[in-house]
Amino acid sequence: MRILLLVVLISWGANVAASDLVKWSQGIIVMVDGEVRQGELAFQVSEIVLFRDAGVVTVFPANKVRSFRNYDQEENINRKFVSRASQTGRIASFYEIVVWGEVSVMRKLKSQVISNQENSDKDGYDYFICFQNNLVNLRHFRSKVYPNLISSSSQMEVLISCHHFNPNNKADAIQIIQFYNRVTYTETLVAGT
């Protein structure tokens, strides 16, 4: 079944590469073996990335790629994606890193269909927290991650209270994670001096 899915994705990717729906951008792919390739990338579904160099298009499934970066010209931002196995460990997917740090926030495309419509940040993605090398859905921040963040730093409760953050609110949860990463980074720097 897994091989069949891979074959379907690769053949589908090759057909899509010729489509007008594909948006190409300059980028770099880091393969699982550490090889780095530079060229044009197209990414519109979470399991594959299209790579084009000298007019030749190659379809890479997420389990063959460690990470990739590309420049999103429309948004004027560099994006970084990492490959991670699914919760069941069967199929790997690409996750975009939204917040980088000891605790990261990642997002994965919801749709498995290529279209020329833009995905909205709110509705087009599922958001996850990478905490202690585990992916936790952002919906479970309050119960599974928040208690650990509060207990690990005495400053966190004060910052959260001063800013009136609600750990049940997804936008506030992301801001709490950003504060946590800054606090732990600062504490590490102070401890190192």
Side-chain angles (χ1 to χ4, degrees):
M1 177 71 175
R2 185 176 176 188
I3 293 172
L4 178 62
L5 177 63
L6 186 59
V7 169
V8 168
L9 284 173
I10 289 173
S11 63
W12 169 77
N15 289 333
V16 167
S19 170
D20 291 336
L21 299 178
V22 176
K23 296 177 184 174
W24 294 95
S25 61
Q26 291 297 316
I28 295 173
I29 289 183
V30 179
M31 306 304 291
V32 171
D33 65 3
E35 177 188 0
V36 177
R37 297 182 180 191
Q38 186 172 356
E40 292 179 289
L41 305 175
F43 174 71
Q44 292 179 289
V45 293
S46 61
E47 287 81 18
I48 62 169
V49 62
L50 302 176
F51 177 77
R52 183 167 64 184
D53 185 30
V56 177
V57 176
T58 308
V59 179
F60 289 115
N63 65 331
K64 301 289 183 191
V65 175
R66 183 182 304 157
S67 64
F68 71 89
R69 295 175 190 238
N70 69 319
Y71 175 67
D72 183 337
Q73 191 168 2
E74 289 178 14
E75 296 292 325
N76 191 27
I77 188 170
N78 288 309
R79 298 187 182 277
K80 179 171 182 177
F81 296 81
V82 294
S83 176
R84 291 189 58 106
S86 68
Q87 305 289 27
T88 60
R90 292 165 77 60
I91 297 176
S93 295
F94 290 111
Y95 293 81
E96 181 179 4
I97 299 173
V98 178
V99 174
W100 187 263
E102 185 175 324
V103 178
S104 297
V105 177
M106 300 179 178
R107 67 185 188 176
K108 179 181 157 189
L109 284 168
K110 282 184 180 179
S111 176
Q112 299 302 315
V113 178
I114 290 184
S115 74
N116 57 0
Q117 293 181 346
E118 292 295 318
N119 290 307
S120 77
D121 289 337
K122 180 181 175 192
D123 299 322
Y125 298 88
D126 289 318
Y127 286 81
F128 299 89
I129 302 159
C130 186
F131 179 67
Q132 298 175 339
N133 207 28
N134 293 313
L135 283 183
V136 177
N137 194 298
L138 186 58
R139 289 188 312 260
H140 303 296
F141 171 78
R142 176 70 171 97
S143 62
K144 295 188 177 182
V145 177
Y146 181 71
N148 293 304
L149 301 186
I150 293 299
S151 67
S152 67
S153 175
S154 58
Q155 294 180 2
M156 286 303 295
E157 282 189 270
V158 174
L159 286 169
I160 292 166
S161 177
C162 286
H163 289 87
H164 306 288
F165 289 141
N166 177 356
N168 295 314
N169 178 299
K170 291 178 183 179
D172 286 357
I174 291 172
Q175 290 186 312
I176 291 169
I177 291 168
Q178 289 174 319
F179 272 114
Y180 174 80
N181 287 333
R182 282 189 217 126
V183 166
T184 56
Y185 178 72
T186 304
E187 289 175 352
T188 302
L189 284 178
V190 171
T193 57

